[in-house]
Amino acid sequence: MTISLHAQNAATARKILGRTAAVISSKGGATANFTITGTKTGTVNGSLAIKGRMFHAVTPQSIIWYNGKTQWTYLKANEEVNVSTPNEAKQMSMNPYRFINMYQSGYNLSMTDKGKGYWVHLTAQNKQRSVQEVYILINKKNYHPSTIKMRHGNSWSTITVKNLKTGKLPNSLFTFNAKDYPHAEVVDLR
């Protein structure tokens, strides 16, 4: 009986994440404001645009473009652009909506009802996974995520999301254009 209840709970968590993913994954994309707090990052505020696997983030220190494969990080202080191919943990630390695809395989799911929201808990099945644990607070009314807590190693970070809106975003928004930053030094770290 306990196994049956656990399976039902996991199925409900998967359904909730599926509905959340459908809201966020609108064909045209979505935008939001965020705050990331963690021992390694401190506190960082910014805005984010996402479309499918692509994202574009702007903070006071940097601008990040990710086209689904390559990431460009423009560091404002020294006018440098670092080009990389980020791993899962790095993508999640810069793109709070990375969980959209992550929950579909390799994680055990559970859910707790918390008044106006659901706390969905993901635990990695493989202990080598860079992100071992994730908690996501999802609004029951509109299925928008408001808080994402994730653990990589022994370190936790929390992402707070506000003002989520869907829209029609151009694909060019997610790729660095060197013409817009003529004085930037490009460093390829791939």
Side-chain angles (χ1 to χ4, degrees):
M1 187 158 157
T2 303
I3 293 171
S4 176
L5 289 175
H6 179 71
Q8 282 180 324
N9 185 279
T12 302
R14 184 172 301 284
K15 183 178 176 183
I16 291 166
L17 286 174
R19 290 187 73 176
T20 301
V23 169
I24 294 168
S25 299
S26 73
K27 280 187 170 184
T31 59
N33 296 321
F34 68 88
T35 301
I36 298 175
T37 306
T39 53
K40 293 181 181 179
T41 60
T43 299
V44 178
N45 295 303
S47 62
L48 178 73
I50 60 167
K51 186 176 182 181
R53 293 189 43 166
M54 303 181 290
F55 71 90
H56 177 250
V58 178
T59 69
Q61 299 81 16
S62 63
I63 302 172
I64 299 169
W65 299 263
Y66 179 68
N67 66 5
K69 181 181 176 188
T70 303
Q71 179 173 301
W72 297 265
T73 304
Y74 174 67
L75 305 171
K76 294 177 181 179
N78 59 0
E79 290 195 73
E80 180 178 285
V81 177
N82 293 316
V83 184
S84 64
T85 307
N87 66 18
E88 178 182 73
K90 187 69 172 171
Q91 286 180 44
M92 280 201 67
S93 70
M94 291 313 302
N95 180 358
Y97 295 124
R98 177 70 172 88
F99 74 87
I100 292 170
N101 298 314
M102 190 177 93
Y103 80 93
Q104 295 174 354
S105 66
Y107 285 86
N108 295 322
L109 305 174
S110 63
M111 185 272 308
T112 306
D113 192 317
K114 290 290 185 189
K116 293 183 179 183
Y118 303 107
W119 266 117
V120 178
H121 183 209
L122 292 81
T123 307
Q125 294 167 348
N126 178 346
K127 298 299 178 197
Q128 302 304 312
R129 200 94 191 233
S130 56
V131 176
Q132 282 295 304
E133 222 175 336
V134 180
Y135 288 92
I136 305 164
L137 181 59
I138 298 170
N139 183 300
K140 286 181 181 179
K141 186 176 179 179
N142 58 18
Y143 289 89
H144 290 185
S146 60
T147 304
I148 303 158
K149 295 181 179 187
M150 61 183 166
R151 177 174 63 88
H152 22 103
N154 292 327
S155 178
W156 283 90
S157 55
T158 302
I159 302 165
T160 305
V161 180
K162 295 181 180 172
N163 304 320
L164 176 65
K165 296 176 184 151
T166 58
K168 293 190 178 204
L169 306 175
N171 287 346
S172 60
L173 178 63
F174 305 100
T175 300
F176 172 72
N177 185 345
K179 291 178 185 176
D180 294 338
Y181 301 87
H183 302 291
E185 177 186 353
V186 177
V187 179
D188 197 330
L189 302 172
R190 293 175 285 184

